Amino acid sequence: MSPLSSIRRRLAAAARICACLCAAAPAFAQQAPPVAEAPLRAHLSFLADDLLEGRGTGQRGGALTVRYLETQAAVLGLQPLPGGGYRQKVPLIGQKTLPESTLRFDAGGKPLAAAFGRDVVFANADGRAATHVTAPLMFVGYGIAAPGERWNDFAGADVKGKVLVAMVNDPQPTGAEPDRFGGRSLTWYGRWVYKFEEAVRQGAAGILLIHTTASASYPWSVPVNSFSHEQFHLAGAGNALQGWMSEDMARTLFAQAGQDLDRLRAQAEVRGFRPVPLSATLDADVRSAVRTIREYNVAGIVPGLDPALRGEAVVYSAHWDHLGIAPDNGKPDHIWNGAVDNASGTAALLAMAQAAVRQPARRTQIFLWPCAEEQGLLGSAAWVRNPPWPLARTAADLNLDTMNFVGRTRDMGVAGAERSALYATSAQVAGAMGLHLAGPVPDLGGAYFRADHFSFAKAGVPAFSVGSAVFSGDGSFEFKHDQAGSSAQMRAFTQRYHQTGDRYDPAWDLSGMVQQAQFTLNLGYAVANAPALPAWKPGEAVGDVQR
């Protein structure tokens, strides 16, 4: 045999060995597979159906939803969580204020009745069935203690044993300080959740927030609906009394106590504000139906194919719960179907998972449906407290909530992505899809702090929500067809947000929802296939997220 023939034989053998090795090694997807509209629509129409009774926490509809999601996860081929199964247990305490509960004020030596639903809404969060609170009232401005902002609304006062009265939102920017507390944007300190938590830390007897539509970014009906339902919280000490009072009630109360509410509000905008005791007391007898339940997050896994990277994961999340069902004094039951919020995101994740299992990425992908988001991000908080997947090896959380149901856009909203390297990756993904990123819009409603991604962000994982139907009616989205009509539909939805009118309509154009889901999956694959994990930008990491 000639030397040349020998070389050719060896090269051919090497080629055959290489081909066999390549065939044996699984190929990971460089790009995300396409998301189909048909399964998305089918899941959406079912999840928003009356059969699931509004997917309420601790209700039969919620249990049906969990069973549906874990069944679909298995059918799609998602792998169970470490330890087996698609469920993560989330122990919750449920409390519902009973009709016999009472709350009244004594201001200026005169009694002042307060009707539940019209004037005030309230509950307790301490796990007790009966709570009696009698305490003086103290106005604490915005109720914020923020050392990083050099702001302390509790300075110079002992608020222990007092019922705090606080404003919603946070101090507004001034000419001298245009960027304080995020400028026009709402920060974490402006959220009602923060204020309730701070009242506990301060040792207060309770807290009532003064509602205005402008400061809360939603009408009085939203807290009324919320407090008319059973409310849930994770185990641990909470306020003995927490709730809201209407603007009219606050004006009447302050005037009867000899105070000018507007003057006190103006004082609270100035650095150095000190709490103001009111010549008023509160007497509340809170009777609650209390129960301990076990709710569930649902999650499934698409294992990564790169041996060196499969121990790291990208999380896609969308909460499955809504407000559930409630009787209405002999009338037909009220069902809060929650089609847009958030059957849309729940369905989109199922359709995305169906695509992802066909061709995995280098890193693992986790599809997570948290419970009890409407109760204060409880499911996602439980996930990060006891993570089935290590947070240090979690690349990002990409969240979907209240998705676009009115048609395709030329841009994509990524508010919050600018806090980390996810923004640059989002821009690359958008460009590849022929899109651009929506311009920055002041976060007046604190949207970044109102969805499940924020639990991950507080735990140090880069995270944000991709777009939002609720907050896109301000013209920040460029619709591909009929800009005026599509924007009008978005604005109209804000009147159905957390109302029984949030129902599925078969006439919806879901092309924009598919586009949004595809962008999210494409972004997830870009992160899952990248050489390194995304990082926070300087000043935006864990402790500074609440800036």
Side-chain angles (χ1 to χ4, degrees):
M1 181 182 294
S2 68
L4 181 59
S5 297
S6 178
I7 292 173
R8 286 173 176 168
R9 289 181 62 191
R10 290 175 182 175
L11 288 175
R16 287 193 297 271
I17 293 172
C18 182
C20 290
L21 290 174
C22 290
F28 61 82
Q30 292 287 354
Q31 296 180 338
V35 177
E37 178 176 330
L40 195 161
R41 184 179 290 275
H43 291 305
L44 172 57
S45 64
F46 179 77
L47 289 162
D49 192 86
D50 283 356
L51 180 68
L52 294 188
E53 300 175 348
R55 308 184 307 282
T57 298
Q59 295 185 3
R60 175 178 177 273
L64 290 173
T65 304
V66 168
R67 189 71 185 99
Y68 180 76
L69 290 174
E70 67 178 351
T71 300
Q72 291 300 315
V75 168
L76 295 176
L78 293 175
Q79 298 300 303
L81 292 168
Y86 297 98
R87 300 186 181 196
Q88 181 194 32
K89 298 175 184 177
V90 181
L92 297 175
I93 297 175
Q95 294 192 232
K96 185 180 188 303
T97 304
L98 296 175
E100 55 264 34
S101 299
T102 60
L103 185 151
R104 68 177 183 85
F105 301 104
D106 187 289
K110 298 179 181 179
L112 177 61
F116 189 97
R118 184 192 66 195
D119 304 315
V120 294
V121 290
F122 57 91
N124 59 1
D126 58 7
R128 291 186 289 175
T131 302
H132 188 84
V133 177
T134 299
L137 297 175
M138 179 173 284
F139 177 68
V140 293
Y142 285 103
I144 293 172
E149 292 280 353
R150 297 180 293 113
W151 195 280
N152 185 1
D153 283 325
F154 306 97
D158 181 6
V159 302
K160 289 181 172 61
K162 309 290 197 307
V163 171
L164 311 181
V165 180
M167 300 187 295
V168 187
N169 214 301
D170 46 28
Q172 299 303 292
T174 66
E177 295 183 284
D179 296 323
R180 74 176 186 179
F181 285 95
R184 293 176 59 203
S185 297
L186 183 69
T187 70
W188 169 236
Y189 295 109
R191 293 283 293 133
W192 61 267
V193 180
Y194 164 78
K195 297 174 193 293
F196 286 175
E197 291 177 356
E198 190 60 37
V200 174
R201 287 189 287 269
Q202 294 289 335
I207 181 170
L208 293 174
L209 303 179
I210 302 173
H211 175 273
T212 70
T213 299
S215 63
S217 80
Y218 40 72
W220 175 243
S221 61
V222 172
V224 170
N225 279 342
S226 178
F227 278 76
S228 297
H229 284 71
E230 182 179 26
Q231 295 189 318
F232 294 89
H233 49 88
L234 298 174
N239 288 300
L241 176 78
Q242 60 188 32
W244 299 65
M245 70 170 72
S246 69
E247 168 85 351
D248 290 343
M249 184 75 252
R251 289 195 176 280
T252 301
L253 171 64
F254 276 59
Q256 191 166 312
Q259 297 285 352
D260 185 324
L261 177 58
D262 291 331
R263 181 176 59 83
L264 290 182
R265 280 173 166 161
Q267 292 177 8
E269 296 290 344
V270 179
R271 193 181 303 280
F273 166 82
R274 294 293 182 266
V276 178
L278 300 178
S279 297
T281 59
L282 173 148
D283 186 271
D285 187 25
V286 188
R287 304 288 174 168
S288 303
V290 181
R291 60 180 177 139
T292 300
I293 68 166
R294 182 176 291 168
E295 200 49 272
Y296 297 93
N297 295 330
V298 180
I301 294 173
V302 178
L305 296 183
D306 188 324
L309 297 178
R310 66 164 62 110
E312 299 170 346
V314 175
V315 176
Y316 309 92
S317 60
H319 74 91
W320 60 255
D321 65 297
H322 196 55
L323 302 182
I325 187 171
D328 187 25
N329 298 324
K331 300 177 184 177
D333 289 346
H334 281 174
I335 298 177
W336 282 261
N337 299 83
V340 175
D341 180 18
N342 187 33
S344 64
T346 304
L349 246 61
L350 286 168
M352 290 160 59
Q354 182 173 334
V357 295
R358 294 199 298 266
Q359 197 170 6
R362 298 178 69 186
R363 288 183 175 86
T364 294
Q365 297 174 86
I366 299 174
F367 292 84
L368 168 64
W369 293 271
C371 66
E373 187 269 356
E374 301 290 3
Q375 303 298 324
L377 317 185
L378 300 183
S380 55
W383 179 277
V384 300
R385 284 186 185 184
N386 185 28
W389 197 275
L391 294 178
R393 299 178 69 80
T394 300
D397 173 58
L398 307 177
N399 191 61
L400 290 172
D401 197 343
T402 60
M403 295 180 69
N404 171 16
F405 61 97
V406 300
R408 293 176 62 85
T409 63
R410 293 188 175 90
D411 58 0
M412 191 59 60
V414 294
E418 72 280 357
R419 298 170 181 266
S420 71
L422 291 175
Y423 187 85
T425 308
S426 295
Q428 295 170 359
V429 170
M433 295 178 67
L435 302 169
H436 62 272
L437 299 184
V441 176
D443 189 4
L444 303 181
Y448 187 74
F449 311 103
R450 294 171 60 174
D452 281 314
H453 69 268
F454 185 56
S455 295
F456 285 87
K458 285 200 295 184
V461 177
F464 73 100
S465 285
V466 181
S468 171
V470 173
F471 302 102
S472 62
D474 53 12
S476 61
F477 283 88
E478 298 176 11
F479 292 96
K480 199 165 184 180
H481 303 287
D482 189 14
Q483 178 69 26
S486 295
S487 295
Q489 289 185 63
M490 286 292 192
R491 286 192 296 271
F493 173 74
T494 63
Q495 302 304 311
R496 303 196 303 275
Y497 173 64
H498 277 207
Q499 305 296 318
T500 56
D502 182 9
R503 302 178 63 88
Y504 170 69
D505 185 345
W508 280 347
D509 179 355
L510 298 191
S511 61
M513 196 175 295
V514 173
Q515 180 188 45
Q516 190 176 346
Q518 189 68 63
F519 174 86
T520 306
L521 193 63
N522 289 355
L523 177 59
Y525 269 71
V527 174
N529 289 326
L533 299 181
W536 292 99
K537 291 182 179 179
E540 296 288 359
V542 190
D544 292 332
V545 170
Q546 300 179 9
R547 217 160 37 93

